[in-house]
């Protein structure tokens, strides 16, 4: 309140010192702005934390969005890997088609392929797929299962 009183006193003296009436509007506007600033300054220092949304809700929403983004990224990478494997199998003239790739993208960016679902000549296809992806990748037959899904 001391700030508001000092501001009002200073502006009153400024009005008295300026003799020209043509600046009367500008001085009154400046006075109003400075008075509002002086009055609102203490109000700006109020603790309004009760009106701010809870951080945990924002964190949960952020985690949900992050999980959805990771899932979409994994799906896009799985589709790309599926296309690349099918292209490679076609180049090797193997009558096998990869239907689905189950993978996980680790936080460091490494891609871990867990399972490959394929149809056709799985005996020959498995040989090439294990050569390219590693022996620990599970390769399952999925022709009948995916025909029912689609």
């Amino acid at each position: 309140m001391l700030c508001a009183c000092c501001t009002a006193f200073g502006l009153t003296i400024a009005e008295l010192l300026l003799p020209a009436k043509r600046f009367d509007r500008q001085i009154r506007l400046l006075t109003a702005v400075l008075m509002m600033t002086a009055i609102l300054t203490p109000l700006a220092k109020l603790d309004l934390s009760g009106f701010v949304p809870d951080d945990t809700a924002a964190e949960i929403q952020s985690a949900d969005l992050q999980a959805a983004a990771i899932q979409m990224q994994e799906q896009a990478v799985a589709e790309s890997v599926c296309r690349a494997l099918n292209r490679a199998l076609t180049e090797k003239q193997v009558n096998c088609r990869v239907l689905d790739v189950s993978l996980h993208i680790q936080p460091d960016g490494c891609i871990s392929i867990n399972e490959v679902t394929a149809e056709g000549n799985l005996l020959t296809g498995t040989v090439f797929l294990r050569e390219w992806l590693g022996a620990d990748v599970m390769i399952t037959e999925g022709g009948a299962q995916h025909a029912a899904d689609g």
Side-chain angles (χ1 to χ4, degrees):
M1 212 51 185
L2 178 65
C3 182
C5 291
C6 291
T7 304
F9 180 70
L11 291 173
T12 303
I13 291 178
E15 275 186 36
L16 295 175
L17 293 177
L18 292 173
K21 287 289 184 187
R22 67 178 188 209
F23 294 117
D24 193 38
R25 279 187 176 164
Q26 290 83 359
I27 291 175
R28 288 186 189 273
L29 178 66
L30 181 63
T31 304
V33 169
L34 289 176
M35 283 299 293
M36 290 301 293
T37 304
I39 292 171
L40 294 177
T41 299
L43 294 176
K45 295 177 184 175
L46 290 177
D47 182 21
L48 301 175
S49 61
F51 299 106
V52 178
D54 191 11
D55 287 344
T56 55
E59 288 174 11
I60 290 171
Q61 184 179 15
S62 174
D64 289 345
L65 289 174
Q66 198 170 23
I70 290 170
Q71 184 179 10
M72 289 174 60
Q73 183 181 26
E74 287 178 352
Q75 183 179 3
V77 171
E79 290 172 5
S80 178
V81 168
C82 188
R83 283 191 303 271
L85 290 173
N86 283 327
R87 192 171 33 252
L89 286 169
T90 302
E91 289 174 2
K92 297 288 184 181
Q93 297 178 351
V94 177
N95 189 17
C96 181
R97 196 178 105 201
V98 175
L99 301 173
D100 190 34
V101 176
S102 173
L103 57 80
H104 176 71
I105 300 176
Q106 298 172 359
D108 62 355
C110 293
I111 298 171
S112 301
I113 297 176
N114 306 325
E115 183 179 357
V116 174
T117 305
E119 68 178 358
N121 185 354
L122 283 183
L123 188 60
T124 308
T126 299
V127 171
F128 283 104
L129 291 172
R130 290 197 190 236
E131 179 183 323
W132 297 328
L133 303 175
D136 56 336
V137 176
M138 184 187 323
I139 299 172
T140 59
E141 184 174 8
Q145 181 182 17
H146 280 272
D149 292 342

